[in-house]
Amino acid sequence: MVVDDHPMWRDAVARDLAESGFEVVATAGDGEQAVRRAKAAAPDVLVLDLNLPGKPGVQVCKEVVADRPTLRVLVLSASGEHADVLEAVKSGATGYLVKSASTEELQDAVRRTAAGDPVFTPGLAGLVLGEYRRLAAEPLPAAGAGAEEPKAPRLTDRETEVLRLVAKGLSYKQIAERLVISHRTVQNHVQNTLGKLQLHNRVELVRYAIERGLDDE
């Protein structure tokens, strides 16, 4: 699904994606319409502009991801400002591409986003990982002192190994190559880990791992 308030741009992106083999199930031109149509069309990937009338893109992202946690959101924005990137990631976006990207880069980004990989315009991935680290250094919301540890779920050795590599910023493909397993197996381990930890997406998973120092091992 493609969401952008400029009709010519929206139509061009939708056409380019359709011509390269993607099924474009819906488009929308404002925030309210985007939330409504995303719920009805149930896309696998939402290509989302941040600057939308009615409801900003970050709010759209929060609402659609809350409704369908498996939905992948790739932000496609004219802004490369760090604050916009971080706000998008915190709202649940799994990738961020600036509009200066080529059609081929967009197509590749959509494919990788659908596969569960984080996709960022060059130079922004390090910024996001740095923000993960900063968030991890902050105290967790009060939930009762010491209440978390006794209930800590038990991960298998392989799940812990995959989680450690996720925290280091590796893509699923890179993890599969490192561990000599299939891409699908990596995805299965991540999904199992999300379920055990009661987390919703890769953003939360990376934060969990960094909080426990797994990225430094």
Side-chain angles (χ1 to χ4, degrees), residues 3 16 19 42 52 58 60 81 87 94 122 124 129 132-133 137 142 147 168 185 193 197 204 215 217:
V3 180
D16 286 345
E19 288 177 353
L52 298 173
V58 289
V60 171
E81 293 294 321
E87 191 174 12
T94 49
L124 297 181
L129 191 55
Y132 284 148
R133 294 177 185 278
K168 288 178 178 290
T185 300
T193 303
L197 301 178
E204 294 180 1
D215 60 318
E217 293 181 6

Side-chain angles (χ1 to χ4, degrees), residues 11 44 124 130 200:
D11 292 347
D44 296 316
L124 297 181
H200 299 100

Side-chain angles (χ1 to χ4, degrees), residues 59-110:
Q59 185 60 35
V60 171
C61 186
K62 286 178 185 175
E63 292 185 23
V64 297
V65 170
D67 184 61
R68 286 185 62 232
T70 57
L71 175 64
R72 318 282 190 191
V73 178
L74 173 65
V75 170
L76 183 61
S77 174
S79 169
E81 293 294 321
H82 289 182
D84 290 333
V85 178
L86 296 178
E87 191 174 12
V89 171
K90 289 175 186 175
S91 71
T94 49
Y96 195 106
L97 208 61
V98 295
K99 286 185 173 180
S100 57
S102 68
T103 300
E104 291 74 19
E105 287 172 325
L106 172 61
Q107 293 167 353
D108 181 61
V110 171

